[in-house]
Amino acid sequence: MPDFGYKISKDRQINFDENSKNLFAEVAMREPSVYRCISCGTCAATCSAAQFTSYSLRKMILLLKRGEDKEVITSVSRCMLCGKCQLACPMGVNTRNLILSIQNAIKKLSHV
Amino acid sequence: MSKKVLIIGAGVAGLEASGVLSKLGYNVTIVEESDRIGGKLNRWSHLFPSRRPASEVLEHLQLNLDPNTVIITNSKITDIAVKDTSIEASLNTGKHIDADAVLISTGFELFDAKKKEEYGYQIYENVITSADLEKIFKEGKELTTSKGKAPKRIGIIHCVGSRDEKVGNTYCSKVCCVTGVKQAIEIKEHLSSCEVFNFYMDLRMYDRHFEDLYQEAQVKHHVQFIRGRLSEAFENPDGTVMVKVEDTLLGKPMKMNLDLVVLLVGMTAGNNSLFKKQLRLETGTDKFLVPADEHFKSVSSKQKGVFFAGACTGPKTIENTITEARAAALEIAGYLKN
Amino acid sequence: MLQEGKKALWKEYQKEIADDRYFYVRSCVRQNFFPASETTFLRILTEELGKSVYEHPHHTSCSGVGYHSDVIPFETTMTMVARQFALMTESGFMNFVPSCITSFGLYTEVLETWHHFPEVEARIRETLRKATGREFEKPANLAHASDIIYKLRNEIADRAKYKLVNHNTGQPLRGVEHIGCHYAKMFPHKGVGGAEYPYVLVGMIESWGGEVVDYPERRHCCGFGFRQYLVKANRGYSVASSKKKFESMAPYKPDFILTNCPGCPYFLDRWQYAIAEMEGTTYGEDGMGIPVLTYEELAGLVLGYDPWDLGLQVHQVSVEPLLDKMGIPYNSSKKYLGKNGKFLGVPFKPAAIKVC
């Protein structure tokens, strides 16, 4: 192949139809309070990890719903499970169990 | 002899005001452009947030009408003038009406979704409006795609013709957000396996029970709310519609194919040119009529003997319209007593 | 697709297009990219349809290429445009016809600017007078060259030797159309059919017997966009834009892509080779590409002009499959002969994409 000096840019558009939503389904089954989330960001504002990394539980829930699993998988390990988000959440989302559910669901689905 | 009130428009505002004015002892004449009373209420199936049948509200309004009320349908006001203490109006049928006061309750028009060319209404087969969806529900028809199949994925688009300077409407139509949530739930109740997505800029769940409806949609029906305004829609050769939005909470563009798209059309002002020209009434930049004072004379015009009720002065819920119609009736009674 | 709805919308976007006496201004780049397109336009208008077209030897770049690349300020550009109008006025013409879409967009932008800010027009007139001594009238009619072919599409159809029909099956050929961004996206009412559902190329394909395929990424930019391409580091973005379009149109197996801009056909044609080299993907039949044509080239084919006189041999993607479908005879041995009959040499044959 000739050296063009550039590569075809990667498409960053979410292709909703091609993304699998299995991980979200598995997580929602384990922790149905995820449906209560209104994307307010209270969790991320108080989160220790979010102060120093790009981690955001609010974003992670949306990424799950859109099937952007790769980003969820790289992101979820940043949580230190302190539980501050659960105190802050105005909607009663069981955030600690949500994060554990995401981790367990990832393990389960990666074995399949 | 009791005094006479002319009501223009036999929708929710006109009917409710008429009932109250009759009870207060006035002679009421209602002029209605269409062939029947009830206005747009005739077109809705169930009302937010309680999901009460629209027909029930209409029946209630009709029951409150005095049997002596004169209702002239299929007629348009062609001329209207305030003469000293009386109002004189002529109809396109040649009829003349005089009254001591007039209530303008001409309501609103639905935004013409064709103006959002990029959404493809009446070009793409599977793009309908919220009003079309109400019609389907009201007639008890099955919700299908243009090919008669059960849709597997439906998108509901908020703010069509609202908050949109490009189409000349910069305001919020107030009722579409909650209508969209109500319709999302109704779709899920009809087709439980159908995925429903609401594309919104802000969810304006301002009134009592609205937020409950939103939570019900998410928690019970798993309706997905995606924050991002529809940018463009394309029809795929199989008739499905590809939509492009930004998921603004993720900061990423997104595309998705939908079997059916529902456009939540907003409210636009009716044609007020006659009132502007002959009664010298003002309209705002939003083209709705402007009351004499936003707080204390919200149902009065600056013109003596001319009053307002309902969505002719801006987008309103049916509840607010009924409250306003009653206020207008009392305001008219006060004016006619003095 | 509900055709009545589309037709109702098209009615709102009709523009006036002059029917004769055109002052034609060429593009900076088209003679390099698609060398016979502009001469074919002149041949069709003057030889076939007996129209009067004038070209001025002193016409220069409109400077749009510099303007859109952020290297020429608008003031300078407006004065350049004023000079082109002066050439038209001096030649006794009123109907201005640019060959380039960006020029068309720019002339429209300048006229709109002057319409809304007459003091700017007065200043530019003064600048031009001081610099060159020239004065000008604004065009009575401004139309892109594709508008002219659109207007004359049925007269071309009347003289057609070949149709956009598969001569073996009798089925209409399937074309996808791509409109240059500067044609109607800036001023939708200046484009035939508007910006969302442009009709200018659709009308040609329909009149000449073909069928238009509306593919989901029809409105997406071809990837040229000046700044996206001129800086080498941005070219990955340019090729990705073209790729987005190919992936969207390929499932519908179009027989050709029709364009009306200098950049679009160039990039849609050449990037098919680059993508094949970089990713091994081709979008046409049997490892070939999808032929890309300018509207003049397509009109020329319909009128029976020799494909090699239309310059189709300089395309990256081979056009022979389209010629075969239309039943157009061609002599492969004459493909690489110059106008004087001299052999020009055969271009490099890539392995990644099949060429004839």
Side-chain angles (χ1 to χ4, degrees), chain B residues 114 116-125 166 232-239 242 244 255 257, chain C residues 1-6 9 12-13 193-197 213-220 244 252:
Chain B
K114 290 200 293 293
K116 290 297 287 178
E117 293 170 15
E118 60 274 38
Y119 293 0
Y121 181 61
Q122 290 186 358
I123 292 179
Y124 301 154
E125 288 175 21
K166 191 175 123 185
E232 328 175 277
F234 307 83
E235 187 179 84
N236 296 313
D238 66 356
M242 183 184 106
K244 279 185 175 179
K255 70 170 176 185
N257 288 317
Chain C
M1 200 78 71
L2 307 168
Q3 289 304 325
E4 317 83 71
K6 241 188 192 180
L9 186 69
E12 288 178 33
Y13 292 98
E196 301 294 348
Y197 309 90
V213 187
D214 199 0
Y215 61 107
E217 295 290 0
R218 173 174 54 76
R219 294 169 181 138
H220 195 82
K244 202 182 238 314
Y252 312 118

Side-chain angles (χ1 to χ4, degrees), chain B residues 40-297:
Chain B
K40 297 198 180 52
L41 203 46
N42 287 301
R43 299 168 63 175
W44 314 144
S45 171
H46 289 79
L47 305 177
F48 63 78
S50 66
R51 310 202 20 222
R52 180 185 198 175
S55 55
E56 210 177 286
V57 174
L58 185 54
E59 272 165 37
H60 196 276
L61 290 167
Q62 280 171 312
L63 277 178
N64 271 356
L65 278 181
D66 190 277
N68 294 320
T69 307
V70 180
I71 302 175
I72 308 171
T73 54
N74 290 316
S75 297
K76 251 178 131 165
I77 307 271
T78 52
D79 285 288
I80 188 162
V82 179
K83 300 238 165 95
D84 197 19
T85 57
S86 75
I87 313 282
E88 287 176 21
S90 312
L91 307 186
N92 60 339
T93 54
K95 207 173 159 69
H96 296 278
I97 299 169
D98 43 43
D100 301 293
V102 60
L103 176 68
I104 298 177
S105 51
T106 45
F108 64 97
E109 297 296 330
L110 282 170
F111 173 72
D112 177 7
K114 290 200 293 293
K115 287 186 182 162
K116 290 297 287 178
E117 293 170 15
E118 60 274 38
Y119 293 0
Y121 181 61
Q122 290 186 358
I123 292 179
Y124 301 154
E125 288 175 21
N126 287 302
V127 176
I128 63 171
T129 66
S130 42
D132 298 334
L133 184 61
E134 284 295 319
K135 189 166 183 259
I136 292 168
F137 287 145
K138 192 172 173 72
E139 291 174 355
K141 285 191 183 153
E142 218 154 305
L143 181 58
T144 63
T145 65
S146 61
K147 293 199 170 77
K149 287 189 181 152
K152 292 200 183 82
R153 193 186 279 169
I154 297 179
I156 298 179
I157 314 299
H158 290 232
C159 294
V160 178
S162 304
R163 303 177 71 192
D164 187 340
E165 185 142 354
K166 191 175 123 185
V167 298
N169 302 337
T170 53
Y171 53 86
C172 165
S173 291
K174 284 172 92 173
V175 300
C176 331
C177 273
V178 64
T179 301
V181 174
K182 183 205 72 146
Q183 292 187 334
I185 293 173
E186 288 170 333
I187 291 169
K188 290 296 286 190
E189 286 172 352
H190 279 82
L191 304 160
S192 60
S193 64
C194 178
E195 288 183 281
V196 180
F197 297 86
N198 282 54
F199 297 93
Y200 70 97
M201 292 201 288
D202 293 298
L203 274 180
R204 300 192 162 176
M205 298 289 126
Y206 55 92
D207 222 339
R208 199 173 178 195
H209 305 306
F210 286 11
E211 190 71 17
D212 299 338
L213 213 57
Y214 163 45
Q215 272 299 310
E216 185 191 331
Q218 282 211 141
V219 178
K220 189 172 165 198
H221 299 287
H222 300 175
V223 172
Q224 288 207 46
F225 290 84
I226 298 177
R227 187 168 177 274
R229 188 182 186 119
L230 176 60
S231 175
E232 328 175 277
F234 307 83
E235 187 179 84
N236 296 313
D238 66 356
T240 59
V241 182
M242 183 184 106
V243 294
K244 279 185 175 179
V245 294
E246 188 198 15
D247 188 328
T248 61
L249 295 175
L250 284 176
K252 279 188 184 183
M254 176 160 73
K255 70 170 176 185
M256 138 183 339
N257 288 317
L258 297 164
D259 296 325
L260 193 65
V261 174
V262 180
L263 306 176
L264 287 168
V265 283
M267 291 187 182
T268 61
N271 183 356
N272 289 316
S273 56
L274 183 80
F275 302 138
K276 282 174 83 168
K277 207 170 142 195
Q278 299 194 0
L279 294 176
R280 292 182 301 282
L281 299 180
E282 286 171 24
T283 52
T285 51
D286 57 9
K287 301 185 189 75
F288 287 96
L289 291 162
V290 178
D293 182 290
E294 64 191 290
H295 292 111
F296 302 107
K297 289 187 174 177

Side-chain angles (χ1 to χ4, degrees), chain C residues 18-24 38-54 97 145 148-150 152 155-156 295-296 299 303 305:
Chain C
D19 62 2
D20 202 355
R21 293 192 52 78
Y22 306 115
F23 186 81
Y24 184 53
E38 291 179 335
T39 49
T40 301
F41 177 78
L42 295 171
R43 182 174 165 192
I44 294 171
L45 260 60
T46 55
E47 291 177 25
E48 297 281 345
L49 304 171
K51 304 287 180 190
S52 133
V53 187
Y54 183 71
V97 181
I148 308 291
I149 296 292
Y150 164 79
L152 303 171
E155 291 167 49
I156 292 170
Y295 56 93
E296 297 103 325
L303 288 167
Y305 297 176

Side-chain angles (χ1 to χ4, degrees), chain C residues 25-28 62 64 98-108 182:
Chain C
V25 288
R26 296 202 187 210
S27 145
C28 300
C62 72
S99 159
C100 168
I101 283 288
T102 291
S103 294
F104 172 72
L106 188 74
Y107 288 120
T108 307
H182 295 160

